[in-house]
Each structure stands twice: as C-alpha cells, then as structure tokens.
C-alpha cells in the first residue's frame, strides 16, 4: 500500500502538535511521559519532532490525558489556519498596510 504524501498543512499541523506536547511536558522527561501514556519514548520523540505528524487518535488521547490537556485544546492549538483563511489574512494585512 502506497501512502499519500502529506500536504504542507498536514505537516505544519504535526509540527504544531509536537511543539504543544513539548511545552505541556514541561520539565518531565520524555521517558516518564511516554511511559505514563503507555507509549515508547521513541514514539513520543517522533511526534514531538514532527517525524510522525499524524499519530493515531488514541495515542493523542493518551498523551493529552497524561499531560492534563483536553482533546479540544489539542485540536484547537495544533491546527493551523486553513490555506484559504491564510490567503484572507494576507489580503487583510495587505489592505491594512496600504491604508
């Protein structure tokens, strides 16, 4: 089975998820958090570095629970604006700068 390449938006979403998890982990070690979530440290490392940008739902749920995050928070904070929204922002910024 051939896996469809990720879009730039999907890659960015994975990077944002990784950054969110790193911040939420704080001073706790990767090994400690991974073990508490029932994952390997390598799996958490891949998610945090963006090398696994589309982890399984239950993996994200386990990490969120371990880190005290709600899934709603994770969804909102890890999701970049859609490309169409970005274009609208650029147009507004351009109009605002010219005014």
């Amino acid at each position: 089975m051939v896996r469809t390449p990720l879009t730039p938006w999907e890659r960015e979403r994975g990077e944002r998820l990784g950054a969110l998890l790193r911040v939420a982990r704080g001073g706790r070690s990767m090994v400690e958090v991974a073990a508490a979530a029932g994952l390997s440290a390598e799996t958490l490392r891949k998610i945090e570095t963006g090398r696994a940008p589309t982890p399984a739902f239950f993996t994200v749920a386990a990490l969120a629970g371990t880190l005290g995050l709600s899934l709603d928070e994770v969804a909102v904070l890890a999701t970049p604006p859609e490309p169409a929204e970005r274009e609208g922002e650029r147009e507004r910024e351009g109009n605002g700068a010219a005014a």
Side-chain angles (χ1 to χ4, degrees):
M1 181 170 111
V2 176
R3 188 168 202 189
T4 305
L6 298 175
T7 66
W9 184 86
E10 290 168 324
R11 283 193 301 277
E12 183 180 347
R13 183 181 58 195
E15 291 167 4
R16 290 171 64 122
L17 173 62
L20 172 64
L21 295 176
R22 275 192 308 278
V23 169
R25 185 165 53 86
R28 294 192 284 176
S29 76
M30 192 177 286
V31 172
E32 175 188 345
V33 171
L39 309 170
S40 70
E42 183 58 22
T43 296
L44 180 54
R45 181 177 294 108
K46 286 178 181 178
I47 294 168
E48 284 190 358
T49 60
R51 288 187 4 238
T54 58
F57 172 79
F58 290 105
T59 299
V60 175
L63 286 166
T66 298
L67 297 170
L69 299 169
S70 75
L71 288 174
D72 288 337
E73 287 177 295
V74 172
V76 168
L77 295 173
T79 303
E82 291 286 342
E85 293 175 31
R86 290 181 186 183
E87 279 302 314
E89 288 174 11
R90 283 191 211 123
E91 289 173 8
R92 285 190 298 277
E93 289 171 1
N95 290 340

